[in-house]
Structure formats: C-alpha cells, structure tokens
Amino acid sequence: MDEIRLIIASDSVGETAELVTKACTSQFNQLGNALETIRLPYIETPENIDEVIAIAREQRSIVIYTLVRPDIRKYMKEQLEQYGLKHVDIMGPLMAELTNELNESPLNEPGVVHKLDEDYFKKIEAIEFAVKYDDGRDPRGLPKADIVLIGVSRTSKTPLSQYLAHKRFKVMNVPLVPEVDPPDQLFEIDAAKCIALKIDPTKLNAIRKARLTQLGLNDDANYAQDRRILEELEYFEKIVSRIGCPVIDVSNKAIEETANEIIKIITTNNRYDY
C-alpha cells in the first residue's frame, strides 16, 4: 500500500494529539511500515500554520491538530480546506460542545493541563535540548548535556535522544563520520556521560539498504556498501577507544531496551538524580 503520512500539529508539545493518533493507528495491522508520522509543536502563529500547510501539501499528509486559540484554529481550518488537505481537529469540536453546555468561554491557553507541573517543564526543556543539539549541530551543547550519544549513521541516536528526553535527560548525539573530525569538546567532557552505540555490520547494512529503498534510492549506494560500513565502524572504534566511554551493542535491541540500559549506566556513573 502507499505510504500514509501524518502531521501532528499542536500549540503545545503535541503529546495529546500523538497519543490519540497512536491509539487510532495501532488498530490497523496493514499500516505497518507504511505509516510516517511527524510532530510539529508550538504552532502559535499564522506563519507557523503556513509552514505546516507547506509540508502537508508537499508530502500529501493528513494533518491532525490540537489548537486551543480559536483564531489560530480557525485559520488552520481555512488553510486546510483551501488546499483540500485531509485533517482532524481533535480539540475543537469538544470545546465547542462544552462551551455551549456550560455557557462559559474557555481559557484558550495552550498547555494549561501542564501549567504547574514541574516535572513537565523539565521534560519540555529536555525535549527542546534534544532537538536543538540533534546530530551534533552545535558542540556548545556537549558540556550541558546529561548524556552524549555517539555512533555511526542509523544506530538510532535521534530516536534514543527523544526517548530519553521524555525521561527528563538532556541528550546530545554526535554522528561519527571518517571524513569529519568530531568536535574537540567531545574529548574534553566527562567520559562517564558518553555512551557509544555499537552495531553489527551485517545488521547495519540491512538497515541502511532499507532506508535507501524507503527514500526511493538505489540500495547499492556507497552508504550501504560493506566496505564503507567497515570503514565507518573502524573509525568508530578508534574514537571510542580515545574517549574511553561505555559501549552498548544496539544490533538487536529495541529503543526502550537500549534506553533503559543507558539510564542504568548514567545513573550509576554520574549519580544522576533520576
């Protein structure tokens, strides 16, 4: 079947819409790998909505949104209908019914449910940190991170960063590529908060070929060649040996399993207050 793309847009972090979406999509076995979901948080202005619409039009996505402010929600609906995009408004209909039933205007404040939740703010801070410092974008994040993940491409660094962020850890991930020297700061920070993600070359080859196919590219590209993979893994071992950090083999582990192992290592080594 053709790939189904979903965009989750929210004026907060999008947890509500994502939970509803997961509950719905889990009821359809045939979706499998044909489902692609992206979450776009903090949609607060017409300009933000225009960006959502542009992505939805380009990818022919279904837009699922939770927008509290009526003016922003109205603009979203108008733009979606103007371009004939499929969409689901999760909060709007119920808020309208409650307004009529209670004869009371809603607060129209995004994120009220989490307003006084200190743990929630820690989580959001960690999520924003993971996004800002994803893929080694800014080495200045290394000293600030609770956890630094290093590994070659397709070792689940980004998904792990997001998963751990939801556990309130500030995570930065750094890709290791032979042609690009890692930032100097990587060798200056405490090695105890670094985790190297190791993977079996055969497993990595299969993952990369599947990724190339998913992107509509030829699976015999250099990116998925055995020679290239062995070169990258040899470089990985060289960097890890220099840092002297713990190593986790992610070859046959689920994200949750790897994340739990990382948390155990970090809390033991750093006495992190988790």
Side-chain angles (χ1 to χ4, degrees), residues 217-240:
L217 302 174
N218 199 324
D219 68 1
D220 63 358
N222 184 51
Y223 178 70
Q225 291 291 321
D226 290 334
R227 176 189 55 77
R228 173 61 182 180
I229 287 174
L230 291 175
E231 179 186 359
E232 289 187 33
L233 293 178
E234 182 178 341
Y235 181 71
F236 164 83
E237 294 291 349
K238 176 183 176 181
I239 297 299
V240 171

Side-chain angles (χ1 to χ4, degrees), residues 1 3-4 25-26 28-37 214:
M1 65 177 294
E3 186 173 57
I4 294 178
T25 56
S26 66
F28 298 91
N29 292 326
Q30 63 175 310
L31 279 176
N33 295 326
L35 178 67
E36 180 180 333
T37 303
Q214 184 182 37

Side-chain angles (χ1 to χ4, degrees), residues 2-272:
D2 294 336
E3 186 173 57
I4 294 178
R5 296 182 174 89
L6 305 177
I7 291 177
I8 297 172
S10 172
D11 47 19
S12 186
V13 293
E15 286 182 330
T16 301
E18 186 169 50
L19 286 172
V20 173
T21 300
K22 284 183 177 179
C24 292
T25 56
S26 66
Q27 299 298 313
F28 298 91
N29 292 326
Q30 63 175 310
L31 279 176
N33 295 326
L35 178 67
E36 180 180 333
T37 303
I38 62 172
R39 184 163 69 174
L40 302 177
Y42 305 116
I43 305 302
E44 300 171 326
T45 66
E47 290 76 19
N48 294 152
I49 290 176
D50 291 341
E51 293 173 4
V52 174
I53 298 299
I55 296 172
R57 292 181 66 194
E58 180 182 352
Q59 299 185 354
R60 300 179 63 83
S61 303
I62 300 172
V63 179
I64 301 155
Y65 60 97
T66 52
L67 302 173
V68 172
R69 284 176 46 193
D71 56 327
I72 296 299
R73 190 166 64 245
K74 180 175 180 289
Y75 183 72
M76 172 71 90
K77 185 177 180 181
E78 289 173 349
Q79 293 301 301
L80 290 165
E81 292 179 347
Q82 178 181 336
Y83 292 105
L85 296 168
K86 297 178 181 178
H87 58 278
V88 179
D89 177 2
I90 292 180
M91 295 181 66
L94 179 55
M95 288 181 66
E97 288 296 330
L98 290 173
T99 298
N100 292 333
E101 185 70 22
L102 300 172
N103 194 27
E104 176 187 348
S105 297
L107 297 173
N108 295 327
E109 295 179 19
V112 171
V113 68
H114 301 293
K115 204 165 189 178
L116 301 178
D117 191 339
E118 183 179 350
D119 186 65
Y120 172 79
F121 285 117
K122 288 182 180 178
K123 182 192 296 185
I124 297 308
E125 185 179 5
I127 292 172
E128 291 176 341
F129 186 93
V131 172
K132 181 176 181 179
Y133 296 107
D134 183 42
D135 213 23
R137 290 175 186 165
D138 186 348
R140 290 175 297 182
L142 287 165
K144 306 173 188 175
D146 300 317
I147 302 171
V148 177
L149 304 178
I150 61 174
V152 301
S153 175
R154 311 313 295 178
T155 47
S156 300
K157 296 186 297 299
T158 295
L160 278 167
S161 297
Q162 288 295 327
Y163 185 95
L164 290 164
H166 280 80
K167 300 292 184 181
R168 307 186 306 282
F169 291 97
K170 293 180 180 177
V171 186
M172 179 171 178
N173 69 78
V174 179
L176 297 182
V177 184
E179 293 79 13
V180 181
D181 292 333
D184 293 337
Q185 294 95 321
L186 182 61
F187 306 102
E188 299 169 357
I189 61 174
D190 184 1
K193 70 177 183 178
C194 292
I195 301 291
L197 305 177
K198 179 180 178 181
I199 190 168
D200 175 77
T202 303
K203 179 74 172 180
L204 181 57
N205 178 277
I207 292 172
R208 288 189 174 183
K209 284 187 175 181
R211 179 57 176 164
L212 288 170
T213 301
Q214 184 182 37
L215 293 173
L217 302 174
N218 199 324
D219 68 1
D220 63 358
N222 184 51
Y223 178 70
Q225 291 291 321
D226 290 334
R227 176 189 55 77
R228 173 61 182 180
I229 287 174
L230 291 175
E231 179 186 359
E232 289 187 33
L233 293 178
E234 182 178 341
Y235 181 71
F236 164 83
E237 294 291 349
K238 176 183 176 181
I239 297 299
V240 171
S241 176
R242 181 178 170 186
I243 297 173
C245 62
V247 179
I248 295 178
D249 191 334
V250 301
S251 303
N252 297 300
K253 287 187 174 72
I255 295 293
E256 294 85 353
E257 186 180 358
T258 302
N260 287 335
E261 194 168 337
I262 290 171
I263 291 172
K264 183 177 180 180
I265 292 172
I266 292 298
T267 52
T268 299
N269 290 348
N270 293 345
R271 295 180 176 85
Y272 186 92

